[in-house]
Amino acid sequence: MAMKGVLRPGHAQIRVLDMDESVKFYTNVMGLIETGRDGQGRVYFKTRQERDHNSVILRQADRAGIDFFAFKVATKVDMDEFERRLKAHGVKTERIPAGELLETGERVRFMLPTGHAVELYAEKKDVGNGMGYTDPEVDVVDGPGIRPTRMDHALLYGGDIDGAREIFEKCLDFHLVERVKLEDGKTDLAVWLTCSAKAHDIAMVRHAEDGKLHHVSFQMPSWESVLRAADIMSINRVSIDIGPTRHGITQGTTIYFFDPSGNRLETFCGGYDHYPDMHPVTWTWDEVGRGIFYHDRKLNDAFLSVVT
Amino acid sequence: MAMKGVLRPGHAQIRVLDMDESVKFYTNVMGLIETGRDGQGRVYFKTRQERDHNSVILRQADRAGIDFFAFKVATKVDMDEFERRLKAHGVKTERIPAGELLETGERVRFMLPTGHAVELYAEKKDVGNGMGYTDPEVDVVDGPGIRPTRMDHALLYGGDIDGAREIFEKCLDFHLVERVKLEDGKTDLAVWLTCSAKAHDIAMVRHAEDGKLHHVSFQMPSWESVLRAADIMSINRVSIDIGPTRHGITQGTTIYFFDPSGNRLETFCGGYDHYPDMHPVTWTWDEVGRGIFYHDRKLNDAFLSVVT
Amino acid sequence: MAMKGVLRPGHAQIRVLDMDESVKFYTNVMGLIETGRDGQGRVYFKTRQERDHNSVILRQADRAGIDFFAFKVATKVDMDEFERRLKAHGVKTERIPAGELLETGERVRFMLPTGHAVELYAEKKDVGNGMGYTDPEVDVVDGPGIRPTRMDHALLYGGDIDGAREIFEKCLDFHLVERVKLEDGKTDLAVWLTCSAKAHDIAMVRHAEDGKLHHVSFQMPSWESVLRAADIMSINRVSIDIGPTRHGITQGTTIYFFDPSGNRLETFCGGYDHYPDMHPVTWTWDEVGRGIFYHDRKLNDAFLSVVT
Amino acid sequence: MAMKGVLRPGHAQIRVLDMDESVKFYTNVMGLIETGRDGQGRVYFKTRQERDHNSVILRQADRAGIDFFAFKVATKVDMDEFERRLKAHGVKTERIPAGELLETGERVRFMLPTGHAVELYAEKKDVGNGMGYTDPEVDVVDGPGIRPTRMDHALLYGGDIDGAREIFEKCLDFHLVERVKLEDGKTDLAVWLTCSAKAHDIAMVRHAEDGKLHHVSFQMPSWESVLRAADIMSINRVSIDIGPTRHGITQGTTIYFFDPSGNRLETFCGGYDHYPDMHPVTWTWDEVGRGIFYHDRKLNDAFLSVVT
């Protein structure tokens, strides 16, 4: 089919320092729906509009950050083929049995050279978006929380982003959408990659320490809903990093903010569609500030340094 | 790659009764950019944000309607392979040489059993969106016209929509996103199909006469810009069929209106993303009114009968 | 003070055929807050953001329509003075004692020559908008209903709208903002009047029968919230008269719809500010369709004929 | 009449360092319409939607800042009466003859104890908003610049804001809408005052130096148009102070930015309506950060220190 192989980001397992406080935050402030808890004490969430059982999994731990980030692939045959290509590329893979995550099939897990665990899976139970597949209503997003449309992408920080990009491009058929060059005009400071027609499904920034999370991002349906999200954050005294504003890169509107454990999250809207016949957009070092935050037109220190 | 094969609608050749009046309309009211004229007197347009040389081609003729609707495919190898599959399915194909349309490579043309000419092509010159690929600005849409983001999809009317759907699904890897059933609960009145993650790249309605155009659709960036489009239409006394309103099907917001030759156009915004792991949404005959126009909740006669 | 005398529409008493069904509608669909019930069985509502105790009062009756429409005046001295001017104009007035409506002070009631009871009052208990007067939060409108900002204005139908306008202008200091002329170019078909800087606080249409209600209108904060209102109406199978669309007159965006008793309501947004140094806008008979519904540009029959 | 006396801010005379550069900025970036130049070399502007001849006057000078800020009053009788009350209050007034400003009648000028010149006038030529008073179209805001709806209010910095407020309230019938208290809980750091039903027509902040301008503000029609304004600023490399964001005070959305001479301007949208039966909102010192910038929830230094 035209849209095949790796479909989209599927789930992110995020480490939190206090589960009760975090469940309250992801439920009441983020407006996610809790869909289950497992024997390890992990708590599962989805947005109201997502059909699959879970997209965010919280695990209590001593330090914040991300355990793994997963992509759903179209079929189990695709998953086998991607594993084969990963191995051929010299990437060690591991199979996680079906059911290890609630309502989720077998996963193939591998490490990026940036120290991030990435997973592929083909099956997660369609528990529905509450609208059904017959004569559905339009869903009117209301309720007390931010209620994003979906878990959309993540930005990861680590050393060898060239190696990571190569894996995404060569083994998983991702496309480079945008890149930021360092002062030398050659080295990538950051890359934005897509497995679909979105402006980004994953992004990576070069960083001294491996395995770091910059943010997990959630899609909002409109710029007005981004404002509403900022208002809800302030009412709840959520720490806002920056926003509402716009990125030059992807052109999406954005708010960066922190969960109670210090994990940065994003609510964003927009961003153009990318098709594989487009060239990647390149940002030079001189214009990187405007690329990251289009209105401030300067990098804030937190963007490059605060990660979990 | 993850996004491969048929990428997106690429161009529509529309018949107009008076070229001068039509060029004014598509330029000043629609806000499209004229990109060229050819020896046959055809006039070429693109939206400001489209990168390829043309997406709308006007041809003067005695009666309105659509000459052909084309999809861009990722590579020439894909084009060959699709032609092979079409032939294997018993569909006669024709090669149109590169350059027959300005700045456009070779095309494979075939007829749907509904009497519509459909084309595939792999090459059209990237003339840019005015922003460039290096350190781009955000494009601020202004100017006197509607200025849609892109030519997005078409809705075609004809008899054998089952046969047409089979070709899109089996030969071109399209997915069925939504369908409307007739009173018998079995026959499809209409189908919406995607070649990407959009809610629709092409749609078809069962109709007594073959080869008919219901509308060519243009994407708008926001519900506010849909209102602005309606205002611009009224200022210019454009005939509005219906809207602004919302479709239940795809959930996009919409205005239907007519060009000076009576061709129906649409400016729409939104619509959910479709991935191939989703089931198609089915509308029963009793709810078709709400499916087509979510707020009126009844079919207007014009929707089923007025075509060009 | 600069803003003095008649301040704004304060309350409307609406007749409903079935109180239970109506309370559900005004609570769950309109998203109003029930603030009390009185000994006569009347039920009181306010919007969440209104500070005064009530703006909509429902009374069960055999036929739908409006009992009275009231304006809040700045002070009791103003109320006395307006009553004096009404009497000097030959208008009979009546005093309704404080407390006859819950949490509402004494009212001066009089009849317009169009057969509508209008009231003035200076006191209604400020029960707050839930945000308080110290260090307030921004109110994030959520919840299942439409949740307008305020009860905003009414459109009344009756015979002698010239006499009614004279009373509003001469006795109550209203200003004429817009008017529609009949075919003779002289007679007013309709007038829009303001007591503030709003485009309308009351409007009247010439009609064969006196004492009729065309609609009571509620303000929405944005065009996006107007769309959300239309979606909520459809989810609840509310009968929609027209919309979302825009009025040429006042330029506000609008939906007309019906409560379960057949009373027409409006959710609208926008409309320009009117100051007394502006001239009134005049609509000629030829353009009245565009004036009423800017996109359809034709009067629908229901607008002129369906009233309660 | 209900809306009487002081109607609204009418014009601001702003000092600029380089007239040519400033005219380009106010024309191309702000999107104002130049309406005239006078013998002193002053350049006059209005927004497209304003009807009166001018609302912004630029004067070339050695230092930036504001020469005077003027309010339009309903009638010359009102102007005489306000002058009488100012004099009775001990405020010295001066008459500026009609025509001293283009198309503007006689003005009464006086000094606030904060060192700001304020003017009242009753007459300025209605040159129209291009739509006319008969069968008007809805104005579709387009074109290259920000194109605000109107010059809306100003924020002035000076010492004796208590004395200034007393003049606005006692002599000119303004109302106090919001106030910020200093740490002592008694002294006002800032006050927001209205002469209409707007959340503010003028605001003042206590400051060591008299006669200073914090910003002149322009109204935008929607939050989406505020984003578009920010994009236009970045495309033109305009220095943005802060925003897009929201004020807790007035609840309006906002961008602060600087003209080429360093005068701070604001594009804002929204803010609730204030009626004289409402109490003023009070912000305590502890919450002032959230009051000024609702999302950042901290005062930035520039807000209190950078003025012209």
Side-chain angles (χ1 to χ4, degrees):
Chain A
M1 60 213 87
M3 182 74 206
K4 67 169 280 185
V6 180
L7 299 180
R8 63 175 180 270
H11 59 247
Q13 182 164 310
I14 299 170
R15 292 189 300 270
V16 297
L17 306 181
D18 179 320
M19 185 57 84
D20 288 347
E21 180 189 30
S22 297
V23 168
K24 275 181 201 153
F25 174 84
Y26 281 88
T27 303
N28 299 333
V29 178
M30 288 303 291
L32 302 186
I33 311 295
E34 185 184 327
T35 51
R37 300 190 178 211
D38 67 17
Q40 299 179 39
R42 293 182 297 191
V43 185
Y44 294 67
F45 296 90
K46 66 185 275 293
T47 71
R48 188 158 76 176
Q49 297 182 4
E50 286 169 335
R51 295 176 180 274
D52 283 353
H53 179 271
N54 58 75
S55 60
V56 171
I57 302 124
L58 301 184
R59 181 174 72 84
Q60 181 144 343
D62 289 340
R63 60 188 184 84
I66 190 165
D67 282 336
F68 48 80
F69 191 75
F71 295 91
K72 191 173 192 184
V73 300
T75 65
K76 292 178 89 165
V77 173
D78 289 329
M79 190 166 77
D80 293 345
E81 167 65 8
F82 285 126
E83 185 175 34
R84 192 195 58 73
R85 289 163 64 185
L86 285 164
K87 283 179 174 164
H89 192 76
V91 179
K92 213 165 67 182
T93 64
E94 176 190 7
R95 289 264 171 166
I96 316 287
E100 196 274 338
L101 282 178
L102 291 185
E103 306 289 1
T104 306
E106 191 181 26
R107 292 124 68 200
V108 168
R109 184 184 291 175
F110 61 94
M111 294 300 288
L112 292 175
T114 50
H116 299 94
V118 170
E119 300 182 345
L120 307 177
Y121 68 94
E123 296 174 333
K124 197 182 289 273
K125 188 179 178 185
D126 179 345
V127 296
N129 62 0
M131 298 293 111
Y133 280 113
T134 305
D135 300 333
E137 302 295 336
V138 168
D139 188 26
V140 174
V141 176
D142 51 37
I146 290 169
R147 292 189 179 276
T149 310
R150 67 175 173 213
M151 195 277 287
D152 190 86
H153 65 270
L155 173 53
L156 307 176
Y157 271 45
D160 182 12
I161 66 168
D162 306 319
R165 173 165 72 84
E166 199 173 64
I167 289 170
F168 281 117
E169 291 182 330
K170 296 206 175 152
C171 305
L172 302 175
D173 293 334
F174 280 58
H175 265 257
L176 179 66
V177 179
E178 303 211 19
R179 72 196 327 160
V180 174
K181 290 291 181 189
L182 283 174
E183 284 168 296
D184 64 10
K186 293 181 186 167
T187 317
D188 285 331
L189 167 63
V191 291
W192 284 258
L193 298 154
T194 186
C195 61
S196 61
K198 291 162 58 184
H200 46 359
D201 287 301
I202 189 80
M204 311 206 71
V205 168
R206 190 177 302 275
H207 188 66
E209 201 178 352
D210 272 353
K212 290 299 177 182
L213 171 68
H214 187 270
H215 70 265
V216 174
S217 186
F218 295 85
Q219 188 193 41
M220 303 301 300
S222 68
W223 172 235
E224 186 164 311
S225 68
V226 171
L227 175 62
R228 182 179 174 274
D231 292 341
I232 290 171
M233 290 174 204
S234 271
I235 290 169
N236 290 283
R237 302 297 184 266
V238 171
S239 174
I240 294 178
D241 186 9
I242 192 167
T245 187
R246 188 197 280 278
H247 296 301
I249 295 160
T250 78
Q251 308 205 348
T253 54
T254 179
I255 311 168
Y256 286 149
F257 57 103
F258 297 99
D259 83 354
S261 307
N263 293 301
R264 191 189 279 98
L265 305 177
E266 181 186 39
T267 46
F268 89 105
C269 178
Y272 57 82
D273 291 324
H274 175 89
Y275 286 91
D277 60 337
M278 287 170 58
H279 305 295
V281 168
T282 301
W283 292 83
T284 61
W285 179 249
D286 288 350
E287 295 291 327
V288 61
R290 184 167 58 85
I292 304 293
F293 299 119
Y294 190 68
H295 300 147
D296 283 7
R297 305 193 297 278
K298 56 176 185 280
L299 263 183
N300 66 0
D301 289 342
F303 182 83
L304 284 181
S305 58
V306 177
V307 288
T308 54
Chain B
M1 59 215 89
M3 182 73 207
K4 67 168 281 186
V6 181
L7 299 180
R8 63 177 177 271
H11 60 248
Q13 183 164 310
I14 299 170
R15 294 189 298 270
V16 297
L17 304 181
D18 179 321
M19 185 58 84
D20 288 347
E21 179 189 32
S22 297
V23 167
K24 275 181 203 152
F25 174 83
Y26 282 88
T27 303
N28 298 335
V29 178
M30 286 304 291
L32 302 187
I33 312 295
E34 185 185 326
T35 53
R37 300 190 177 211
D38 67 18
Q40 299 180 38
R42 294 181 296 189
V43 185
Y44 294 67
F45 296 90
K46 64 184 277 293
T47 73
R48 188 159 76 177
Q49 296 181 5
E50 287 170 333
R51 295 174 181 274
D52 283 355
H53 179 270
N54 58 76
S55 59
V56 171
I57 302 124
L58 301 185
R59 180 174 74 84
Q60 181 145 344
D62 290 338
R63 59 186 183 86
I66 191 164
D67 282 335
F68 47 80
F69 191 74
F71 296 91
K72 192 174 192 185
V73 300
T75 66
K76 292 177 88 163
V77 174
D78 289 328
M79 190 167 76
D80 294 343
E81 167 66 10
F82 286 126
E83 186 176 34
R84 193 196 57 72
R85 288 163 65 184
L86 285 163
K87 284 178 174 166
H89 192 76
V91 178
K92 211 165 66 182
T93 65
E94 177 190 6
R95 290 263 172 169
I96 317 287
E100 195 275 338
L101 281 178
L102 292 186
E103 305 291 1
T104 305
E106 193 182 23
R107 293 126 67 201
V108 168
R109 185 185 291 175
F110 61 95
M111 295 299 288
L112 292 176
T114 50
H116 299 94
V118 170
E119 299 182 347
L120 306 177
Y121 68 94
E123 294 175 335
K124 199 182 287 274
K125 189 179 179 186
D126 179 346
V127 296
N129 62 1
M131 298 292 112
Y133 280 115
T134 305
D135 301 333
E137 301 295 336
V138 168
D139 187 25
V140 174
V141 175
D142 52 37
I146 290 170
R147 293 191 181 276
T149 311
R150 66 175 174 213
M151 195 278 286
D152 190 85
H153 66 270
L155 172 54
L156 306 176
Y157 271 45
D160 182 13
I161 66 168
D162 305 320
R165 173 165 72 82
E166 199 174 64
I167 289 171
F168 280 117
E169 289 182 331
K170 294 206 176 152
C171 304
L172 302 173
D173 294 335
F174 280 58
H175 267 256
L176 178 66
V177 179
E178 303 211 19
R179 74 194 328 160
V180 173
K181 289 292 179 188
L182 283 174
E183 283 167 297
D184 64 10
K186 292 182 187 165
T187 316
D188 283 331
L189 166 64
V191 291
W192 285 258
L193 298 153
T194 186
C195 62
S196 61
K198 292 162 57 184
H200 46 359
D201 287 301
I202 189 79
M204 309 206 71
V205 167
R206 190 178 302 274
H207 188 65
E209 200 177 354
D210 272 353
K212 290 298 177 183
L213 171 67
H214 186 271
H215 70 265
V216 173
S217 185
F218 296 85
Q219 187 192 44
M220 302 301 299
S222 68
W223 170 237
E224 187 164 312
S225 69
V226 171
L227 174 62
R228 183 179 173 277
D231 292 341
I232 290 170
M233 290 175 204
S234 271
I235 291 168
N236 290 283
R237 302 298 184 265
V238 172
S239 174
I240 294 178
D241 186 11
I242 191 167
T245 187
R246 187 198 282 279
H247 295 301
I249 296 160
T250 77
Q251 308 204 348
T253 54
T254 179
I255 309 170
Y256 285 148
F257 58 103
F258 296 99
D259 82 355
S261 306
N263 293 302
R264 190 189 279 97
L265 305 177
E266 180 185 39
T267 47
F268 89 105
C269 178
Y272 57 83
D273 292 324
H274 176 89
Y275 286 92
D277 60 336
M278 286 170 59
H279 306 295
V281 168
T282 300
W283 291 85
T284 61
W285 178 250
D286 289 348
E287 295 290 327
V288 61
R290 183 167 58 85
I292 303 293
F293 299 119
Y294 190 67
H295 300 147
D296 284 6
R297 303 195 297 279
K298 56 175 183 281
L299 263 183
N300 66 0
D301 288 341
F303 182 81
L304 285 181
S305 58
V306 178
V307 290
T308 53
Chain C
M1 57 213 91
M3 182 72 204
K4 66 168 284 184
V6 180
L7 299 180
R8 64 176 178 271
H11 60 248
Q13 182 164 310
I14 298 170
R15 292 190 301 271
V16 297
L17 304 181
D18 179 320
M19 185 57 83
D20 288 348
E21 179 189 33
S22 298
V23 167
K24 276 181 202 152
F25 174 84
Y26 282 88
T27 303
N28 297 335
V29 178
M30 288 302 293
L32 302 187
I33 312 295
E34 184 185 326
T35 53
R37 301 190 176 210
D38 67 18
Q40 299 178 38
R42 295 182 294 191
V43 185
Y44 294 67
F45 296 89
K46 66 185 276 292
T47 71
R48 187 158 77 176
Q49 296 182 5
E50 287 171 334
R51 295 174 181 275
D52 285 353
H53 179 272
N54 58 76
S55 59
V56 171
I57 303 123
L58 301 185
R59 180 174 74 83
Q60 179 144 346
D62 289 339
R63 61 189 183 84
I66 191 165
D67 282 336
F68 48 80
F69 191 75
F71 295 92
K72 192 174 191 184
V73 300
T75 66
K76 292 178 88 164
V77 173
D78 289 328
M79 189 165 78
D80 294 344
E81 170 64 10
F82 286 126
E83 184 175 34
R84 192 195 59 70
R85 288 163 65 183
L86 286 164
K87 284 178 175 166
H89 193 75
V91 178
K92 213 164 67 180
T93 64
E94 178 191 3
R95 290 265 171 168
I96 316 288
E100 196 275 338
L101 281 178
L102 291 184
E103 304 290 2
T104 305
E106 193 181 23
R107 292 126 67 199
V108 169
R109 183 184 293 173
F110 62 95
M111 294 300 288
L112 293 176
T114 49
H116 299 95
V118 170
E119 299 182 347
L120 308 176
Y121 68 92
E123 295 175 334
K124 199 183 285 274
K125 190 179 178 185
D126 179 346
V127 296
N129 61 0
M131 296 293 113
Y133 280 114
T134 305
D135 300 334
E137 301 294 338
V138 168
D139 188 25
V140 174
V141 176
D142 51 36
I146 290 169
R147 292 192 181 277
T149 312
R150 67 176 174 212
M151 194 278 285
D152 189 87
H153 65 270
L155 173 53
L156 306 176
Y157 271 44
D160 182 13
I161 67 168
D162 307 317
R165 175 167 69 84
E166 198 174 64
I167 288 171
F168 280 118
E169 289 182 332
K170 294 206 176 153
C171 305
L172 302 175
D173 294 335
F174 279 58
H175 267 257
L176 180 65
V177 179
E178 303 210 19
R179 70 192 334 156
V180 173
K181 289 292 179 188
L182 282 174
E183 284 167 296
D184 65 10
K186 293 182 187 167
T187 316
D188 284 331
L189 166 64
V191 291
W192 284 258
L193 298 154
T194 186
C195 61
S196 61
K198 290 161 60 184
H200 47 359
D201 287 302
I202 190 82
M204 310 205 72
V205 167
R206 193 177 302 273
H207 188 66
E209 200 178 353
D210 272 352
K212 290 300 177 182
L213 171 68
H214 186 271
H215 70 265
V216 174
S217 185
F218 295 85
Q219 187 193 41
M220 301 302 299
S222 68
W223 171 236
E224 186 164 312
S225 69
V226 171
L227 175 62
R228 184 180 172 274
D231 292 341
I232 291 171
M233 290 174 205
S234 271
I235 291 169
N236 290 282
R237 302 296 184 266
V238 172
S239 173
I240 294 178
D241 186 11
I242 192 168
T245 186
R246 187 198 282 278
H247 296 301
I249 295 161
T250 79
Q251 308 203 348
T253 53
T254 178
I255 310 169
Y256 286 147
F257 58 103
F258 296 101
D259 82 355
S261 307
N263 293 299
R264 191 190 279 98
L265 304 177
E266 181 186 37
T267 46
F268 89 106
C269 178
Y272 57 83
D273 292 324
H274 175 88
Y275 286 92
D277 60 336
M278 286 170 60
H279 305 297
V281 169
T282 300
W283 293 83
T284 61
W285 180 249
D286 288 348
E287 295 290 328
V288 61
R290 184 168 56 88
I292 304 293
F293 299 119
Y294 190 68
H295 301 146
D296 284 5
R297 304 195 296 279
K298 56 175 183 279
L299 262 183
N300 66 0
D301 290 341
F303 182 82
L304 284 182
S305 59
V306 178
V307 289
T308 53
Chain D
M1 56 213 93
M3 182 73 205
K4 66 167 283 183
V6 181
L7 298 181
R8 65 176 177 270
H11 59 247
Q13 183 165 308
I14 299 169
R15 293 189 299 271
V16 297
L17 305 181
D18 179 321
M19 185 58 82
D20 288 347
E21 179 189 32
S22 297
V23 167
K24 276 180 202 152
F25 174 84
Y26 282 89
T27 302
N28 298 334
V29 179
M30 287 302 292
L32 302 187
I33 311 295
E34 185 185 325
T35 52
R37 301 190 177 211
D38 67 18
Q40 300 179 40
R42 294 181 297 190
V43 185
Y44 294 67
F45 297 89
K46 64 184 276 293
T47 72
R48 187 158 78 176
Q49 297 182 3
E50 287 170 335
R51 295 176 180 273
D52 284 354
H53 178 271
N54 59 76
S55 60
V56 171
I57 303 124
L58 301 185
R59 182 175 72 84
Q60 180 144 344
D62 290 340
R63 60 188 182 84
I66 191 164
D67 283 336
F68 47 82
F69 191 76
F71 296 90
K72 192 174 193 185
V73 300
T75 67
K76 292 178 88 165
V77 174
D78 288 330
M79 189 166 78
D80 294 343
E81 169 64 10
F82 285 126
E83 184 175 35
R84 194 194 58 70
R85 286 163 66 183
L86 286 163
K87 284 177 175 167
H89 193 75
V91 178
K92 213 164 65 181
T93 65
E94 178 190 4
R95 289 265 172 166
I96 316 287
E100 197 275 338
L101 282 178
L102 292 185
E103 305 291 1
T104 306
E106 192 182 26
R107 291 126 69 200
V108 169
R109 185 185 291 174
F110 61 94
M111 295 300 287
L112 292 175
T114 49
H116 299 94
V118 171
E119 299 182 347
L120 308 176
Y121 68 94
E123 296 174 335
K124 198 182 290 270
K125 189 179 176 185
D126 179 345
V127 296
N129 62 359
M131 297 293 112
Y133 280 114
T134 305
D135 300 333
E137 301 295 336
V138 167
D139 187 25
V140 174
V141 176
D142 51 37
I146 290 169
R147 294 194 181 273
T149 312
R150 67 175 175 214
M151 195 278 286
D152 189 86
H153 66 269
L155 173 54
L156 307 176
Y157 272 44
D160 183 13
I161 66 168
D162 306 319
R165 173 166 71 84
E166 198 172 63
I167 289 170
F168 281 116
E169 289 182 331
K170 295 205 176 154
C171 305
L172 301 175
D173 295 333
F174 280 58
H175 266 256
L176 179 65
V177 178
E178 303 212 19
R179 72 196 328 161
V180 172
K181 290 293 180 186
L182 283 173
E183 284 167 295
D184 64 9
K186 292 182 187 165
T187 316
D188 284 331
L189 167 64
V191 290
W192 285 257
L193 297 153
T194 186
C195 61
S196 62
K198 291 162 56 185
H200 46 359
D201 287 300
I202 189 80
M204 310 206 70
V205 167
R206 192 177 300 275
H207 188 65
E209 201 178 352
D210 272 353
K212 290 300 179 183
L213 171 68
H214 186 270
H215 70 265
V216 174
S217 184
F218 296 85
Q219 187 193 42
M220 302 302 298
S222 68
W223 172 236
E224 187 164 311
S225 69
V226 171
L227 174 63
R228 182 180 173 274
D231 292 342
I232 290 171
M233 292 175 204
S234 270
I235 290 168
N236 290 283
R237 303 297 184 266
V238 172
S239 174
I240 294 178
D241 187 10
I242 190 168
T245 187
R246 187 198 281 280
H247 296 301
I249 295 161
T250 79
Q251 308 205 346
T253 54
T254 180
I255 310 169
Y256 286 148
F257 58 104
F258 297 99
D259 82 356
S261 306
N263 293 302
R264 190 190 280 97
L265 304 177
E266 180 186 38
T267 45
F268 90 104
C269 178
Y272 57 82
D273 291 324
H274 175 89
Y275 287 92
D277 61 334
M278 286 171 59
H279 306 295
V281 168
T282 300
W283 292 84
T284 61
W285 179 249
D286 289 349
E287 295 290 328
V288 61
R290 183 168 57 86
I292 303 294
F293 299 119
Y294 189 68
H295 300 147
D296 283 7
R297 305 195 297 277
K298 56 176 184 281
L299 264 182
N300 66 358
D301 288 343
F303 182 82
L304 285 180
S305 59
V306 178
V307 289
T308 54

